[in-house]
Every structure is written in C-alpha cells, then in structure tokens.
Amino acid sequence: MGTALEMSKKSMEMSEAKDREGWLALFADDAVVEDPVGPSFFDADGKGQRGKEAIIAFYDNVISQSESLKFTIRQSIECGDEVANIGEIRITLPGNQVGIVPIANIYKVNTDGKLVSLRSFWEQDKLEFTAG
C-alpha cells in the first residue's frame, strides 16, 4: 500500500473525513492501536486494541463519537518502516466542546504497506474540553 509516512497521512485524512471503512482498510489483520499508549479510559489494561475486531470497536466507540478531528503535524521523522509525527490534535465533540492536545504518533507498516502499529502518545490530563 505505502510507506509509513504515506500511510500515516492516509490514516489522519481518513480519520478527519470520518471514512470508517477507508481507515480500517489501512490496517493489517493483526495490527495494534495504542491510543493513547498505556492504561487509559479507552484501554484500562494499557495493552492496546489488538486485531481488526478490536480496532473496529475502537473506531466505533471512540473516533466516531467526535463531530470532527483535525491533526496539525509540525514534524515527521521517517526511519525504515516507521514514522513519528509530532503535532497536535483538535477534537470537537457534540455540543461544540473542543479539546486540543499535543501528540506524538508513531506508525509502522509491514512489507505489504499495511499499518501494523499505531502508537499515539498524549497525556490524558492535558485534554480538557471547553466550549468552542
């Protein structure tokens, strides 16, 4: 499918466009999504969403709940089959509640160019929603 940088851009574009099927198609069947990395209110065990079914549930229960997402990436560093994107994400929830938080997202692709890992580093306590 593509390089890590290309796939990371597609992932962000499809998330922003709310293209569920397109976003899910980017991932290998055995992929892992850690968003955020470590224990969180999305993943109490901190082991990530493992496999396509868990990633589908993550999309349906988390990503789809926002009215909009907007990534602003200030720097991308690509090494081998991985890329680190540094920036921020703006999340708008129903009722025009807006949250902005710094992120470092690390994407890894397999030899087929499919995403096998998405690790999103952001601090939950830094994500506060205010009226937009």
Side-chain angles (χ1 to χ4, degrees):
M1 286 186 74
T3 67
L5 180 60
E6 290 168 343
M7 294 302 285
S8 74
K9 289 179 179 179
K10 287 181 183 180
S11 175
M12 290 182 284
E13 289 167 5
M14 291 183 183
S15 294
E16 290 176 350
K18 300 294 208 144
D19 181 348
R20 179 184 186 267
E21 298 310 314
W23 187 75
L24 294 169
L26 300 175
F27 290 90
D29 289 339
D30 60 347
V32 178
V33 171
E34 297 173 80
D35 186 353
V37 170
S40 71
F41 37 79
F42 304 133
D43 178 14
D45 296 336
K47 298 184 192 262
Q49 314 305 317
R50 298 183 171 275
K52 206 58 150 304
E53 292 303 314
I55 294 170
I56 290 169
F58 175 77
Y59 186 95
D60 291 344
N61 295 319
V62 178
I63 295 174
S64 72
Q65 300 305 305
S66 66
E67 284 189 357
S68 69
L69 300 171
K70 176 64 180 151
F71 292 90
T72 302
I73 302 302
R74 288 187 283 283
Q75 184 178 16
S76 294
I77 304 165
E78 191 171 27
C79 294
D81 58 1
E82 298 188 61
V83 66
N85 291 330
I86 313 300
E88 67 182 26
I89 185 170
R90 177 186 173 103
I91 304 163
T92 304
L93 296 177
N96 203 31
Q97 295 295 304
V98 177
I100 300 172
V101 68
I103 59 167
N105 282 356
I106 300 174
Y107 298 81
K108 182 175 184 173
V109 296
N110 62 17
T111 54
D112 294 326
K114 291 258 195 174
L115 290 171
V116 292
S117 176
L118 165 52
R119 303 184 76 220
S120 187
F121 293 80
W122 56 275
E123 298 170 285
Q124 293 179 78
D125 60 342
K126 301 276 196 281
L127 179 60
E128 295 181 16
F129 288 90
T130 58

